Amino acid sequence: MLKMFWKSLLISPAVVGAALAVSSPAQAADATVKSEAVNAKTNSVELAQAAPQFSNTQKDNQLLNKLDEYSNEGQASTSVDQVTSVSELRDVQPTEWAYEALKSLVERYGCIVGYPDRTFRGNRALSRWEFAAGLNACMNVMERLIQENVAVLREDIDKLKRLMQEFEAELAALGARVDNLEARTSFLEDHQFSTTTKLTGEVVIAPTGIFGTKNTLNNQTNNNQVVMQDRVRLQFNTSFSGDDLLVTRLAANNVQAFKSFYPTNNVINPNINSGQQLGVMGDSYSTPAFTQSWQTGGGGPNNNVAVDWLAYYVPISLGDNMRLNTYIAGWGGQWADFVPTLNPYFDDFGGGKGAISAFSERNPIYQIGGGAGVGTSLELGFLNSILGPTSLSLGYLAGTGNNPSTGNQSTNPVTGLNYSFNDGGNGLFDGNYAALAQINANIADGISLAFTYVNAYHSPDSPIFGQGSKTGIGLVGTTASNLSRAELNNSLAAGSIGAPPTATNDYNSQSGPGGAADGTTGNFINPYDFGGKNTNSYGVQGTWRVADWLNFSGYGSYTNVHVIGAGNGDIWTYGGGFAFPDLGKEGSVLGIFAGVQPYLTGYNNAGNNLLIPRTNPVQVEMFYKYQVTDNLSITPGVIWISKPEQTTNAKDAFIGTVRGTFTF
């Protein structure tokens, strides 16, 4: 069957007709199509077998060479590449008897059905290869007619016999090429990586530096250095039915976060009734506001390989007007995996071809929650006539859904005692979780709008904008807005209290009933001892395609946070930007985005006496992604952030990055 299929593809009347309509030989066109199809299958084969077994090195090299030879054959082929002798280069002119003989057969028996009038379409010279293909088509038609007892003129049979003798070599070559193609196809089928899986990859390499964070304390200066960082992703896309998709992604990176040094805030001294303020200084914060979009995921910081995303998509039709796009995340799920974020050109969904910063990439509300769970996007076709294309997105993700253990007590490094609250539960329903609902509508041509609500719980050490992670610093916003107990306390434990500064551990261990330095009431300076956080977040985002060369998008969100054992607060963030697609070259983008990173305000922290300054961490970013080739883009970008931390000594910061992104 396979041989018959290729033979019909090569020499069927329809293909011959199409071939005669263009100037290039029919076989050259077919070889190009074949090579493209083979390339699609063998690219993943070569990648998957890039590390051969040393005991079979020669054998593996031969295998890879064959795959490369077969997959690349015909990509730059011409008629000269196709022929085997000088005689094949000679055209069959319209004045020759053979041309007229074949032309009469074609017009009488309809051998070439590619043309409406079944003619040669003009007296154009044919290569002997094209001529043989047309002759073969007429042979097949006349053979079929004879088998069906349809009358065929004797003189036409004689013409056909004479033509067959004249072009015997070319007709034999046609059959040989079909046999050869079948052998090559069988070889590729036997050695291809998978019949259901396609491998894609992305590599990001970027020199990046931050300026303005230099700080000095007690004659000791700390600063961030310019670094070269990378991230590598290999993604296996598997489909079993053609409509579903199983995604398995491996990732590695060597990213280490930029820091803010000696962050300082004030507390009300619990040991003095006058309300005296006391300075508390951390050693450093790994500032979430400095996070770049490509610096997330993977097994960093030493390029350790890890599975960072495992998910399954399957659509379910509910009739003509409704469709349910179902999403199941086994590991590393994010809202952006299935929920429209409405920030085109800036959001590359965690890839390396959008905005430089994580803040400009999408509304920070989508960073609240992540992990394992389920989601769906329901297409509401019955609302198309009212609101335009509309969908409802719903989802539930648990940050530590794979962990069956209960919460554990841990030691507060600031006091040396246990925290007042354990580190929170785990599992699908007893640890970090987030539940999302979003309505999306295209309200006009080129204008889309979405409203989002997220209810979430974050364990004490979990950052609010950390995609459900149990620990860490978060991906956007100030350290205060993320309210990670561990990040705040670890920094303070390595820092100091009071003026002149006294090391925190020394200060809290000095004489007094409770170890406080002033020896009055004996209360520890311990502003960050709190439990989990319950959040309710509300967001709006929209995009407007102003023209083919200009797009505007913007967002805003508000989060009400209740900190168990501490109090309540509000978190605000908003931003907007313009994108200029195809500027300078097709596929290139100039992006300008400005806004305010998430910050905490109105924090009523009864019992902890912490005073958090209300500062707006304003950010302005500009980048230009230049599409060098289909597989390579280079993106220089600059970011300015005013007061990236909510501290009394916050400084402006400048980030410069040149991001190179390779895709395959």
Side-chain angles (χ1 to χ4, degrees):
M1 289 298 294
L2 182 61
K3 181 176 179 179
M4 292 176 62
F5 167 76
W6 283 113
K7 184 174 290 185
S8 64
L9 181 63
L10 283 169
I11 58 178
S12 66
V15 174
V16 173
L20 293 176
V22 297
S23 58
S24 60
Q27 190 61 29
D30 176 74
T32 302
V33 172
K34 179 209 70 175
S35 66
E36 291 175 355
V38 172
N39 262 329
K41 291 186 178 181
T42 58
N43 281 340
S44 55
V45 177
E46 292 178 286
L47 288 169
Q49 299 180 356
Q53 299 296 322
F54 290 102
S55 59
N56 296 309
T57 301
Q58 184 176 4
K59 179 180 178 181
D60 290 338
N61 286 339
Q62 292 175 349
L63 175 63
L64 292 176
N65 289 337
K66 274 194 173 185
L67 290 170
D68 183 64
E69 175 188 349
Y70 289 173
S71 64
N72 292 316
E73 183 190 36
Q75 286 187 341
S77 61
T78 65
S79 58
V80 177
D81 298 324
Q82 308 285 337
V83 300
T84 58
S85 68
V86 176
S87 65
E88 291 181 36
L89 297 175
R90 182 173 60 83
D91 290 336
V92 181
Q93 300 297 328
T95 55
E96 297 184 32
W97 75 269
Y99 187 99
E100 288 296 330
L102 181 59
K103 181 178 179 181
S104 66
L105 294 178
V106 168
E107 294 175 352
R108 182 172 298 171
Y109 295 100
C111 304
I112 302 175
V113 298
Y115 300 131
D117 56 4
R118 297 182 180 182
T119 67
F120 274 142
R121 282 291 177 91
N123 293 327
R124 178 177 67 82
L126 301 177
S127 70
R128 290 181 66 85
W129 192 262
E130 286 180 303
F131 191 93
L135 176 58
N136 193 84
C138 283
M139 288 168 52
N140 290 339
V141 171
M142 295 178 70
E143 181 181 3
R144 176 178 56 81
L145 292 176
I146 292 172
Q147 290 176 349
E148 295 174 355
N149 295 320
V150 177
V152 176
L153 296 178
R154 181 67 188 182
E155 61 183 84
D156 291 339
I157 296 177
D158 293 338
K159 287 181 184 179
L160 187 62
K161 287 182 178 180
R162 186 179 175 187
L163 290 171
M164 290 170 60
Q165 292 174 353
E166 178 77 15
F167 292 87
E168 181 179 3
E170 288 77 12
L171 291 172
L174 268 178
R177 289 182 66 87
V178 171
D179 292 339
N180 193 25
L181 183 58
E182 181 185 25
R184 296 180 181 190
T185 303
S186 298
F187 177 87
L188 291 174
E189 288 178 345
D190 292 340
H191 295 89
Q192 65 182 330
F193 173 69
S194 172
T195 59
T196 59
T197 301
K198 179 179 180 181
L199 175 63
T200 63
E202 179 188 77
V203 176
V204 176
I205 303 175
T208 181
I210 188 169
F211 310 93
T213 59
K214 184 177 180 180
N215 214 336
T216 301
L217 178 68
N218 297 333
N219 297 320
Q220 180 176 345
T221 299
N222 273 311
N223 197 11
N224 291 289
Q225 303 300 314
V226 176
V227 295
M228 179 76 80
Q229 296 183 342
D230 66 69
R231 186 188 67 187
V232 180
R233 284 176 168 176
L234 295 177
Q235 183 167 310
F236 299 85
N237 297 318
T238 304
S239 181
F240 304 102
S241 67
D243 294 324
D244 63 340
L245 178 64
L246 174 65
V247 180
T248 306
R249 188 172 70 195
L250 304 178
N253 72 68
N254 68 347
V255 173
Q256 298 190 47
F258 290 131
K259 295 184 177 182
S260 295
F261 298 101
Y262 311 126
T264 303
N265 276 320
N266 293 321
V267 298
I268 302 297
N269 192 334
N271 299 309
I272 298 178
N273 294 327
S274 64
Q276 178 192 48
Q277 294 188 16
L278 187 66
V280 291
M281 178 184 295
D283 174 59
S284 65
Y285 288 159
S286 296
T287 301
F290 297 154
T291 306
Q292 299 182 41
S293 59
W294 54 273
Q295 293 178 324
T296 61
N302 298 310
N303 275 321
N304 300 319
V305 180
V307 176
D308 77 333
W309 186 27
L310 178 63
Y312 183 60
Y313 295 84
V314 59
I316 301 173
S317 177
L318 301 178
D320 295 337
N321 293 322
M322 296 183 70
R323 178 185 174 94
L324 194 65
N325 297 312
T326 304
Y327 171 79
I328 303 171
W331 183 261
Q334 304 176 24
W335 299 126
D337 294 341
F338 69 96
V339 178
T341 60
L342 303 187
N343 203 19
Y345 305 108
F346 294 97
D347 193 351
D348 190 40
F349 308 101
K353 295 183 288 186
I356 295 291
S357 72
F359 170 71
S360 299
E361 187 178 28
R362 67 179 73 106
N363 191 335
I365 197 172
Y366 297 116
Q367 311 291 10
I368 301 176
V374 296
T376 185
S377 186
L378 179 62
E379 298 177 10
L380 305 175
F382 62 90
L383 291 177
N384 287 358
S385 60
I386 303 173
L387 299 175
T390 304
S391 64
L392 174 65
S393 300
L394 302 169
Y396 178 92
L397 295 174
T400 54
N402 66 311
N403 190 344
S405 66
T406 58
N408 299 312
Q409 284 290 344
S410 55
T411 301
N412 183 346
V414 171
T415 65
L417 305 175
N418 283 341
Y419 278 118
S420 300
F421 303 88
N422 66 28
D423 61 5
N426 295 288
L428 288 174
F429 307 108
D430 194 39
N432 290 352
Y433 81 86
L436 174 144
Q438 176 171 304
I439 186 74
N440 324 281
N442 294 342
I443 59 177
D445 187 23
I447 301 177
S448 299
L449 195 63
F451 297 92
T452 309
Y453 169 71
V454 179
N455 173 266
Y457 169 78
H458 316 263
S459 59
D461 298 335
S462 172
I464 290 176
F465 298 98
Q467 293 182 352
S469 61
K470 184 81 170 181
T471 59
I473 65 172
L475 300 177
V476 291
T478 64
T479 298
S481 70
N482 278 275
L483 287 169
S484 168
R485 183 182 67 179
E487 178 69 12
L488 293 165
N489 275 294
N490 289 339
S491 178
L492 178 56
S496 60
I497 298 174
T502 301
T504 298
N505 290 333
D506 291 340
Y507 190 98
N508 275 339
S509 65
Q510 291 181 22
S511 61
D518 52 52
T520 52
T521 60
N523 294 307
F524 289 114
I525 304 303
N526 183 29
Y528 306 123
D529 189 351
F530 50 76
K533 292 89 63 178
N534 294 306
T535 60
N536 288 282
S537 303
Y538 310 85
V540 58
Q541 42 278 330
T543 181
W544 176 26
R545 185 65 180 262
V546 183
D548 289 341
W549 55 272
L550 177 62
N551 191 89
F552 171 78
S553 54
Y555 62 71
S557 63
Y558 160 74
T559 296
N560 176 262
V561 55
H562 171 63
V563 184
I564 298 173
N568 302 301
D570 302 307
I571 302 172
W572 295 88
T573 182
Y574 42 88
F578 290 94
F580 302 84
D582 298 329
L583 182 66
K585 184 179 181 181
E586 184 177 0
S588 299
V589 176
L590 171 66
I592 302 172
F593 198 94
V596 176
Q597 292 240 13
Y599 65 95
L600 178 64
T601 184
Y603 186 45
N604 174 22
N605 56 330
N608 287 329
N609 303 306
L610 176 64
L611 304 174
I612 296 180
R614 176 174 176 172
T615 57
N616 292 352
V618 177
Q619 173 175 310
V620 179
E621 174 181 347
M622 182 170 69
F623 68 90
Y624 179 63
K625 185 195 75 171
Y626 181 70
Q627 196 69 40
V628 181
T629 68
D630 289 342
N631 303 102
L632 170 63
S633 65
I634 298 176
T635 309
V638 292
I639 304 168
W640 169 72
I641 309 176
S642 172
K643 295 180 173 55
E645 289 290 2
Q646 291 184 254
T647 58
T648 59
N649 63 338
K651 294 183 176 181
D652 294 358
F654 298 85
I655 299 174
T657 298
V658 179
R659 182 184 65 200
T661 304
F662 303 83
T663 58
F664 50 89

